[in-house]
Amino acid sequence: MSDDAADIAERKMQFLFALRSKGVTDKRVLTAMEKVDRGPFIRGYFAHRAYEDMPLPIACGQTISQPSVVGLMSQALKVSPRDKLLEVGTGSGYQAAILSHLARRVYTVDRHKRLVDEASAIFRELDLTNITAVTADGSFGLPDQAPFDRILVTAAAEDPPGPLLAQLKIGGIMVLPVGQSDAVQSLIRVTRHETGFDYDEMRPVRFVPLVEGLGRDG
C-alpha cells in the first residue's frame, strides 16, 4: 500500500470512528458515509478541513453540516431502499449524496440556483443517477412529486411547514430542526399517522433559517 493510500485509509477509519462516537451506529448509514467522499463538496479556503467533524461555510451564505449531524439526521429518517425522499435545502449536495445510497429516489430543492447547479455537477461526476435537484422555494415542498416516504429539512423553521407535513405519506417520517432563533434549535422527528402527527425531540442543533422565496441568484 502506498503512503497516500495508507493515509486515506487511516483518515477514513478515523472519520468512521468519529461518527460512531457521536452516536451514528446504523450500518447502512455508515456504509453510505464511507462511500461518499466529503472532499468534492467543499471548495476554496476550507477544502483542507473536509474530513473534520465540523460545519463549514459554502457559497450563498450557507453551510455544509458536520458529518456527525448528517449521519444522525440520516439515521433518524429510518430510510428503506424503496423510499422516495424529499430534501429541503440542497446546499453543497453532500447530504443528498448520502441519502442517494439509502433511498430509491431523492428529490432535493434549494432556493439558490448556483448551489443546485454546483451540486448537480458533482452528482453527475459521482454517477448518482437517482437524485433530482430543483431550484425552488423548499418551504412549499414539491407538490408534483408528493407524497414522500421521507422528508429531510436542513434549515430551521419555527414550526414544521404545513405544506411539507401535507406531502408526507401516512407512516412517513420527517426530520428537521425547529427553533425561533439560531441559538435555540432542536432536531425533531415527525411521524405521520392516520389520525395526526407524533413529534419526538432528539437533540439541540444549529442550522441556517428556512427562508421563503428564491435566492437572488435564482
Side-chain angles (χ1 to χ4, degrees):
M1 185 183 290
S2 69
D3 288 346
D4 283 351
D7 183 53
I8 290 169
E10 174 68 18
R11 196 161 54 184
K12 238 179 201 180
M13 195 165 68
Q14 290 177 351
F15 179 73
L16 292 171
F17 178 78
L19 292 176
R20 289 192 188 95
S21 70
K22 296 286 180 66
V24 183
T25 56
D26 183 284
K27 288 182 179 178
R28 290 186 69 232
V29 173
L30 286 168
T31 299
M33 296 191 74
E34 187 176 10
K35 286 178 181 174
V36 179
D37 186 349
R38 193 175 182 232
F41 297 93
I42 302 172
R43 298 173 184 180
Y45 182 75
F46 291 98
H48 67 291
R49 309 193 76 169
Y51 303 100
E52 297 177 28
D53 190 36
M54 63 186 299
L56 293 168
I58 58 172
C60 303
Q62 305 300 296
T63 59
I64 180 172
S65 297
Q66 65 196 83
S68 60
V69 171
V70 170
L72 288 167
M73 291 179 79
S74 302
Q75 182 171 275
L77 277 175
K78 301 179 181 177
V79 182
S80 85
R82 296 181 61 83
D83 284 346
K84 181 171 73 169
L85 194 149
L86 172 65
E87 178 195 34
V88 176
T90 308
S92 69
Y94 178 63
Q95 174 78 76
I98 300 294
L99 296 172
S100 75
H101 289 281
L102 303 173
R104 174 177 60 86
R105 189 86 208 158
V106 177
Y107 290 88
T108 180
V109 301
D110 202 289
R111 60 193 293 268
H112 296 286
K113 184 177 184 299
R114 174 182 171 184
L115 295 180
V116 170
D117 289 346
E118 290 180 357
S120 296
I122 299 173
F123 299 152
R124 286 192 295 273
E125 288 170 17
L126 299 179
D127 199 28
L128 300 176
T129 56
N130 64 335
I131 304 176
T132 300
V134 181
T135 305
D137 182 345
S139 58
F140 293 101
L142 277 182
D144 292 350
Q145 299 297 335
F148 295 96
D149 300 288
R150 301 288 186 269
I151 298 177
L152 182 69
V153 185
T154 61
E158 285 190 28
D159 296 293
L164 299 183
L165 291 172
Q167 290 172 36
L168 194 60
K169 274 186 182 175
I170 303 297
I173 294 172
M174 175 161 62
V175 172
L176 76 162
V178 295
Q180 296 185 337
S181 73
D182 63 358
V184 184
Q185 296 173 2
S186 292
L187 189 65
I188 67 167
R189 177 166 55 207
V190 183
T191 306
R192 185 172 190 179
H193 302 290
E194 292 278 0
T195 54
F197 298 91
D198 282 346
Y199 298 84
D200 298 311
E201 191 169 322
M202 298 175 62
R203 54 167 284 163
V205 288
R206 289 189 70 175
F207 278 84
V208 296
L210 183 65
V211 178
E212 291 190 4
L214 295 181
R216 289 180 183 175
D217 61 344

